[in-house]
Amino acid sequence: MTSASELRSGKTHRDENFPVASWIIHPRHRDLILAFYNFVRTADDIADHEMLDAETKLEYLDLLEAELLGRGETQPEAVHLRRALAERGMPPRHALDLLTAFRMDVTKLRYEDWDEVIHYCRYSAMPVGRFMLDVHGESTTTWQASDALCAGLQINNHLQDCGKDYRTLNRVYLPRDVLDAAGAKVEDLGLQKSSPALLKCLQGLAVSTASLLGDGRPLAAEIKDFRLGLEVSVIQAYADRIVRMLQTRDPLSERVHLKPIEFVIASFGAMSSEIVRRSFGKGPVSHPAPRA
């Protein structure tokens, strides 16, 4: 088989909508985070590849998993992550969870309700936050807020890219029951501008996502690591701005991404607020440990 590396889209951590191993994160963690990112990006690009059939995609995902677990040395991203995790004494559980999501991307093209979407987020988004928290030695009591923030980020992305996902991959993450309740059709996602029914559906989902992001807002305060707390505050500010756009704009015909200057302003404001809170405010907030 061709190496999975050769099927990469060319997208790197600098092209993501949110910071990945940014300068905020302590340098000692960046190599491991980037190894994790490159493994995940490779698997994601395989699942989204427009020229591969479903069977081939699943074969590549299985190969990446096998080599992550030590069975082979042909896939650089898997081997690099395996060694980086071993150096820190960390298991590959979060990367394996993400592979579950990518297999779902290959085999599941429609979602019936909100609960199914959240179940998908359990494997596609929540493991990323949990991995970052584990890398920094944070308590699993932070997972509850992290899961909410990561799911909100994922659904923001689904709403932003709903037209592209439908047109290029015939993949629809919008819950079927919400589409039906609004009187919208899946085929509306192929339009250049949302129908009134689809726009109602999309903006209603954005309201639900805003509530989910609200559940994740305590995360920065729960994190003990100063740098990670700052990074999370930036991600939260970014997500909040995007979801506000999605509540009033049409992602099929309008911009729903932050411009670079908007991202800089949001980042500076979020970090400043978090520094002030840590200097003069209350300490980390405790929550019961969630189920893994």
Side-chain angles (χ1 to χ4, degrees):
M1 295 177 69
T2 301
S3 170
S5 302
E6 298 176 51
L7 299 170
R8 286 275 296 266
S9 65
K11 189 173 183 179
T12 74
H13 66 286
R14 293 186 175 86
D15 301 312
E16 297 293 345
N17 288 330
F18 49 86
V20 177
S22 76
W23 61 269
I24 302 173
I25 295 296
H26 196 286
R28 71 174 178 272
H29 299 310
R30 288 184 194 149
D31 285 346
L32 174 55
I33 293 169
L34 288 175
F36 184 82
Y37 172 83
N38 283 320
F39 176 84
V40 171
R41 170 48 53 199
T42 301
D44 195 6
D45 287 346
I46 293 294
D48 289 349
H49 203 288
E50 296 179 36
M51 303 303 294
L52 298 178
D53 59 38
E55 182 179 357
T56 303
K57 290 179 179 182
L58 293 174
E59 288 176 357
Y60 272 110
L61 294 175
D62 287 347
L63 178 60
L64 287 170
E65 177 175 312
E67 299 211 359
L68 178 63
L69 296 175
R71 299 191 295 271
E73 302 279 335
T74 67
Q75 305 301 309
E77 288 86 357
V79 174
H80 188 191
L81 177 58
R82 184 181 78 217
R83 292 172 178 169
L85 288 170
E87 288 176 3
R88 297 285 286 267
M90 292 178 61
R93 60 180 298 189
H94 303 306
L96 295 174
D97 280 348
L98 285 157
L99 288 175
T100 297
F102 299 140
R103 291 185 179 102
M104 291 173 68
D105 282 336
V106 175
T107 61
K108 186 176 177 64
L109 301 179
R110 300 291 187 271
Y111 291 80
E112 293 299 322
D113 52 34
W114 181 260
D115 287 344
E116 282 199 2
V117 174
I118 295 298
H119 175 73
Y120 171 77
C121 292
R122 161 62 185 88
Y123 294 97
S124 69
M126 297 178 191
V128 177
R130 295 180 179 190
F131 168 78
M132 288 295 293
L133 293 165
D134 282 359
V135 167
H136 287 82
E138 299 290 336
S139 168
T140 56
T141 60
T142 59
W143 282 14
Q144 183 174 329
S146 175
D147 287 353
L149 173 58
C150 290
L153 284 164
Q154 177 72 86
I155 298 171
N156 269 358
N157 185 253
H158 288 166
L159 297 177
Q160 289 173 295
D161 295 342
C162 60
K164 182 181 71 174
D165 287 340
Y166 174 70
R167 290 190 298 269
T168 62
L169 297 166
N170 189 31
R171 194 182 293 160
V172 180
Y173 295 103
L174 311 183
R176 197 189 304 267
D177 63 347
V178 179
L179 282 164
D180 290 345
K185 299 178 180 179
V186 166
E187 292 76 16
D188 293 347
L189 290 166
L191 302 173
Q192 294 300 309
K193 181 179 180 180
S194 291
S195 65
L198 178 59
L199 189 60
K200 177 183 177 181
C201 170
L202 293 171
Q203 293 182 350
L205 288 168
V207 171
S208 298
T209 307
S211 177
L212 192 60
L213 289 170
D215 292 339
R217 196 159 290 116
L219 179 58
E222 295 175 356
I223 290 172
K224 295 179 180 180
D225 186 276
F226 176 72
R227 286 175 177 250
L228 182 60
L230 290 184
E231 178 122 322
V232 166
S233 72
V234 170
I235 292 170
Q236 181 77 52
Y238 163 80
D240 288 342
R241 288 202 175 202
I242 292 298
V243 84
R244 285 197 293 271
M245 289 183 184
L246 288 166
Q247 289 177 67
T248 59
R249 299 183 187 181
D250 175 13
L252 296 191
S253 62
E254 297 179 272
R255 181 181 62 84
V256 285
H257 291 80
L258 295 184
K259 296 177 181 178
I261 187 61
E262 292 174 320
F263 184 80
V264 170
I265 291 170
S267 299
F268 180 77
M271 287 190 292
S272 298
S273 296
E274 182 61 14
I275 289 170
V276 169
R277 188 201 65 75
R278 286 178 177 262
S279 298
F280 304 104
K282 60 185 180 180
V285 178
S286 297
H287 283 298
R291 294 180 181 178

